[in-house]
Amino acid sequence: MRITRRSVLRGATGLGATLAFGRAWAATEMDLGNLQITTLSDGHLQLPESFLIGDLPRDEARAILDAAGVAAGGYEPPCNVTLLRSGADVVLFDAGAGPGFMQSTGRLPEALAALDLTPDDITHVVFTHGHPDHLWGAIDDFDEPLFVNARHLIGRIERDYWTDPETPESIGAERQSFAAGAARRIELLADRLETFEDGDEVLPGVVGRASFGHTPGHMSFEIGGGRALVAGDAIGNAHLALARPEWPMPADQEPEQAARTRLSLLQELAEREVPLIGFHLPGGGIGRVAKNGDEFSFVSEM
């Protein structure tokens, strides 16, 4: 396995214009023999500190965040979209946020262009879950599917959750827009959207794996016979989630279930030394998990 990191800069009118506007897309690449994985930046989220800490023990949580260099008051996690190239397949894991979520997100089409790819080149879009920064980018400004030549795949439980008419009433006021946005985009994808179950090989070399908790049907993906794991938001950050994986994190919809999933994944990844690819992890999101006592750490490889 070889992991490298490179910065790709490209703008509509050339490199100078890109630099002038301060736009740069970092691409971290990992070769797995006949498979190539590249993570691309869709931008970053802009979140309040409460999104991280919530009802957790504030002093202890703040000490962990301070040690990780996370300033008080706000949080700006990266959004790493994973691109897999395998033979003729050009696969995206998640689609980014698209134009309708935050001004700091929705950069995926430009990041693809930096690799001389267009949305038309994508053959598969495989979703970890239905939150805005993962699903909404599948639909363009005109309410049309962006990846017109792609098969779209999502876990059945996750699809059913977002299309259940009871979800907007049960999800909580702060996430009702998530429910409405997910249901609308799933409806717009219509028969382009296929479902799969835990353990299914969703395409050659990619196996879906239940990692429920962040959302009720969240899925991760084993790549190349377990040579890497695309974890989505099952491991949602590189500080609190690893230092205190047993804590119920406020970002998770089912916090207790998410904590069990997170701890199980971290233990397995550390023991097997399998590369982890995380949507909100630093350094392009590719690295390894190390264990030290009851705590874990994420070691970015670039």
Side-chain angles (χ1 to χ4, degrees), residues 1-188:
M1 181 188 69
R2 179 174 61 85
I3 300 177
T4 61
R5 181 175 172 83
R6 63 192 174 116
S7 292
V8 181
L9 299 172
R10 181 173 177 180
T13 57
L15 178 61
T18 304
L19 290 172
F21 285 97
R23 290 189 175 181
W25 290 271
T28 303
E29 296 186 342
M30 177 170 60
D31 289 329
L32 296 173
N34 59 332
L35 306 175
Q36 184 181 45
I37 293 173
T38 307
T39 58
L40 296 173
S41 175
D42 189 51
H44 64 273
L45 301 181
Q46 296 176 315
L47 302 170
E49 185 183 75
S50 60
F51 184 87
L52 279 176
I53 297 180
D55 295 328
L56 299 176
R58 179 172 178 79
D59 289 347
E60 187 177 355
R62 191 61 256 171
I64 294 168
L65 294 172
D66 289 343
V70 180
Y75 179 48
E76 295 188 350
C79 297
N80 307 304
V81 176
T82 300
L83 177 76
L84 169 67
R85 282 176 276 199
S86 174
D89 292 337
V90 184
V91 184
L92 284 177
F93 293 91
D94 295 323
F101 186 46
M102 292 184 180
Q103 290 186 345
S104 57
T105 60
R107 306 292 191 255
L108 179 60
E110 295 164 86
L112 287 169
L115 295 182
D116 293 321
L117 293 172
T118 72
D120 291 355
D121 295 319
I122 304 303
T123 62
H124 302 76
V125 181
V126 185
F127 298 105
T128 61
H129 64 295
H131 278 168
D133 48 332
H134 298 256
L135 171 65
W136 289 16
I139 300 297
D140 66 16
D141 286 332
F142 303 99
D143 283 350
E144 297 289 341
L146 179 62
F147 305 100
V148 294
N149 296 321
R151 292 174 57 197
H152 294 68
L153 301 104
I154 192 170
R156 179 190 56 80
I157 293 173
E158 185 75 0
R159 190 278 313 270
D160 290 352
Y161 172 75
W162 293 112
T163 55
D164 185 339
E166 294 186 4
T167 293
E169 301 303 319
S170 61
I171 198 172
E174 71 281 2
R175 288 190 171 103
Q176 284 184 339
S177 64
F178 290 14
R184 177 170 167 270
R185 285 159 178 83
I186 289 171
E187 181 181 8
L188 290 170

Side-chain angles (χ1 to χ4, degrees), residues 266-274 289 291:
L266 288 170
Q267 290 173 334
E268 178 183 343
L269 290 165
E271 290 171 2
R272 294 179 54 206
E273 298 184 346
V274 173
V289 174
K291 186 176 184 181

Side-chain angles (χ1 to χ4, degrees), residues 248-270:
M249 302 293 173
D252 297 325
Q253 289 185 221
E254 298 179 336
E256 300 296 340
Q257 174 65 56
R260 292 190 293 270
T261 294
R262 181 166 53 248
L263 184 56
S264 177
L265 284 176
L266 288 170
Q267 290 173 334
E268 178 183 343
L269 290 165

